[in-house]
Amino acid sequence: QVQLVESGGGLVQAGGSLRLSCATSGRTFSSYAMGWFRQAPRKEREFVAAISWSGGSTFYAQSVKGRFTISRDNAKNTVYLQMNSLKPEDTAVYYCATGGFRLATMTERDYDYWGQGTQVTVSS
């Protein structure tokens, strides 16, 4: 059974930083791409970032490009999201996800497995 567990969320002031982690189990982590999504109150879930199985390619939503960095450590079965220069509009529940593909994708319906989410709150 594939499990994804996010951690690292919290409350931070605007301009601050957080690093989210997503630990996975139940499959060969290094064989599959990973993604991060987020859902703000009263909004639909949206793509944030994705990384290929090897870490060789990454994609970002325009709203976070230059501020967020996705990375992975295949030895630790963990994917990270480093978030810098945080803004109040980054406030959301952040989810990591994976599916049966190696190349990074921004398409939510491609992802089969999801974590429970971690809350990120950015105060102004």
Side-chain angles (χ1 to χ4, degrees), residues 2-22:
V2 179
Q3 290 189 318
L4 295 82
V5 180
E6 303 96 335
S7 61
L11 174 64
V12 63
Q13 288 189 332
S17 298
L18 283 174
R19 188 175 83 153
L20 306 184
S21 300
C22 174

Side-chain angles (χ1 to χ4, degrees), residues 38 48-49 60 63-70 81-87 90 94:
R38 68 186 182 185
V48 176
Y60 296 93
S63 59
V64 307
K65 197 172 293 185
R67 300 188 298 122
F68 290 11
T69 302
I70 187 172
L81 185 68
Q82 178 67 44
M83 305 185 295
N84 299 329
S85 302
L86 282 161
K87 304 175 181 180
D90 294 318
Y94 284 71

